[in-house]
Amino acid sequence: MTPNGVPATIEPFRKDLLEWAESNLRNFPWRDDSISVYEMFVAEFFLTQTPAENTADVYPEFLDRYPALEHVREASQAELAEMIEPIGFQHMRADALAEIASEYDELPTDVEELLQLPRVGPYVANATLCFALDRRLPVVDRNVNRVYSRVFGDEYPDGDADRREFALESLPEDGAIARTYNLALLDFGAMVCTKQAPRCSECFAREYCSYYQSVVADGENLDA
Ligand code: SF4
């Protein structure tokens, strides 16, 4: 264990994941280094419950038409919903964006204030501020939970709050590097440590991955 309660294997995992990120991060319209808080928020708001590839089909056009909250404020609910319709939940998403635009000219950059916005949970709030402003915040979704559960086994805690704390303690100290680490974790879960048929044979974590080690110890060969 490290002094902050995270297993010592976080150190090789963090190093290996950041190396992997150097040549494997996915390229999406919301991955620009100079993205604004509003642009990042819209992306994360759409990405919740929607695959990234689908979101990428709608996102650029949405920002073209509504480049800032003031433009969202001027739109009708029907106009917003029509644009969001291809990725679903269009009425819920349109209502929430309209409500936010009615109250704010600029989005808050304090995580607790962001969490007060309609339909905004810890994932969207933390991801928005981490990816737009290099804030050192835990970004935990289903992919990240799966990766950490497999790599750290029983040492990855149960419960959303404890898991966010674990993810926070796992981050590199520097905010910009923490941003890259969080992006890499999301992409690693989507591309390598997938829900079905994880690509263990090409994974850097086999030596210390609890899931891989336990499967091998049980004599069940994966795909290596
Ligand atoms: S070895 Fe397999 S289960 Fe472990 S992190 Fe890599 S892909 Fe996931």
Coordinates of all heavy atoms in Angstrom, one line a residue, residues 150-151 188 192-193 198-200 203 205-206 209 211-212, ligand 1:
R150 N -10.5 -4.8 -12.2 CA -9.7 -5.9 -12.7 C -8.2 -5.7 -12.2 O -7.6 -6.7 -11.8 CB -9.8 -5.9 -14.2 CG -11.1 -6.5 -14.7 CD -11.1 -6.4 -16.2 NE -12.3 -7.0 -16.8 CZ -12.8 -6.9 -18.0 NH1 -12.1 -6.1 -18.9 NH2 -13.9 -7.5 -18.4
V151 N -7.7 -4.6 -12.3 CA -6.3 -4.4 -12.0 C -6.0 -4.6 -10.5 O -5.1 -5.3 -10.1 CB -5.7 -3.0 -12.5 CG1 -4.3 -2.8 -12.0 CG2 -5.8 -3.0 -14.0
F188 N -8.2 3.4 -22.4 CA -7.8 2.0 -22.2 C -8.9 1.1 -21.9 O -9.0 0.0 -22.4 CB -6.8 2.1 -21.0 CG -6.2 0.7 -20.6 CD1 -5.3 0.1 -21.4 CD2 -6.7 0.1 -19.4 CE1 -4.7 -1.1 -21.0 CE2 -6.1 -1.1 -19.0 CZ -5.2 -1.7 -19.8
V192 N -8.8 -1.6 -24.8 CA -8.0 -2.7 -24.4 C -8.7 -3.6 -23.3 O -9.0 -4.7 -23.5 CB -6.6 -2.3 -23.9 CG1 -5.8 -3.5 -23.5 CG2 -5.9 -1.5 -25.0
C193 N -9.0 -2.9 -22.2 CA -9.6 -3.7 -21.1 C -11.2 -3.6 -21.2 O -11.9 -3.0 -20.4 CB -9.2 -3.1 -19.7 SG -9.6 -4.2 -18.3
P198 N -11.5 -8.8 -23.0 CA -10.3 -7.9 -22.8 C -9.1 -8.4 -23.6 O -8.9 -9.6 -23.6 CB -10.1 -7.8 -21.3 CG -10.8 -9.1 -20.8 CD -11.9 -9.4 -21.7
R199 N -8.3 -7.4 -24.1 CA -7.2 -7.8 -24.9 C -5.9 -8.0 -24.1 O -4.9 -7.3 -24.2 CB -7.0 -6.7 -26.0 CG -8.2 -6.7 -27.0 CD -8.3 -5.4 -27.7 NE -7.2 -5.1 -28.6 CZ -7.0 -4.0 -29.3 NH1 -7.9 -3.0 -29.2 NH2 -5.9 -3.9 -30.0
C200 N -6.0 -9.0 -23.2 CA -4.9 -9.2 -22.2 C -3.6 -9.5 -22.9 O -2.6 -9.2 -22.4 CB -5.3 -10.3 -21.2 SG -6.8 -9.9 -20.3
C203 N -1.7 -6.5 -23.3 CA -1.8 -5.5 -22.3 C -0.5 -5.4 -21.5 O 0.1 -6.4 -21.1 CB -3.0 -5.8 -21.4 SG -3.2 -4.7 -20.0
A205 N -0.3 -4.5 -18.4 CA -0.6 -4.7 -17.0 C -0.6 -6.1 -16.6 O -0.9 -6.4 -15.4 CB -1.9 -4.0 -16.6
R206 N -0.3 -7.1 -17.4 CA -0.5 -8.5 -17.1 C 0.3 -8.9 -15.8 O -0.2 -9.7 -15.1 CB -0.1 -9.4 -18.3 CG -1.1 -9.4 -19.4 CD -0.8 -10.4 -20.4 NE 0.5 -10.1 -21.1 CZ 1.1 -10.9 -21.9 NH1 0.6 -12.1 -22.2 NH2 2.2 -10.5 -22.6
C209 N -1.8 -7.2 -12.9 CA -3.3 -7.2 -13.0 C -3.9 -8.3 -12.2 O -3.6 -9.5 -12.4 CB -3.7 -7.2 -14.4 SG -5.5 -7.4 -14.5
Y211 N -6.9 -9.4 -12.0 CA -7.8 -10.3 -12.8 C -7.0 -11.3 -13.7 O -7.3 -12.5 -13.7 CB -8.7 -9.4 -13.7 CG -9.6 -10.1 -14.6 CD1 -10.8 -10.6 -14.2 CD2 -9.3 -10.3 -16.0 CE1 -11.7 -11.3 -15.0 CE2 -10.2 -10.9 -16.9 CZ -11.4 -11.4 -16.4 OH -12.2 -12.1 -17.2
Y212 N -6.0 -10.8 -14.3 CA -5.2 -11.6 -15.2 C -4.5 -12.7 -14.3 O -4.5 -13.9 -14.7 CB -4.2 -10.8 -16.0 CG -3.5 -11.6 -17.0 CD1 -4.0 -11.9 -18.2 CD2 -2.2 -12.2 -16.7 CE1 -3.4 -12.7 -19.1 CE2 -1.5 -13.0 -17.6 CZ -2.1 -13.2 -18.8 OH -1.5 -14.0 -19.7
Ligands
SF4_1 S1 -4.4 -7.8 -18.2 FE1 -6.5 -7.9 -19.1 S2 -7.9 -7.6 -17.5 FE2 -5.9 -6.8 -16.8 S3 -5.9 -4.7 -17.3 FE3 -5.0 -5.7 -19.0 S4 -6.7 -6.1 -20.4 FE4 -7.6 -5.6 -18.4

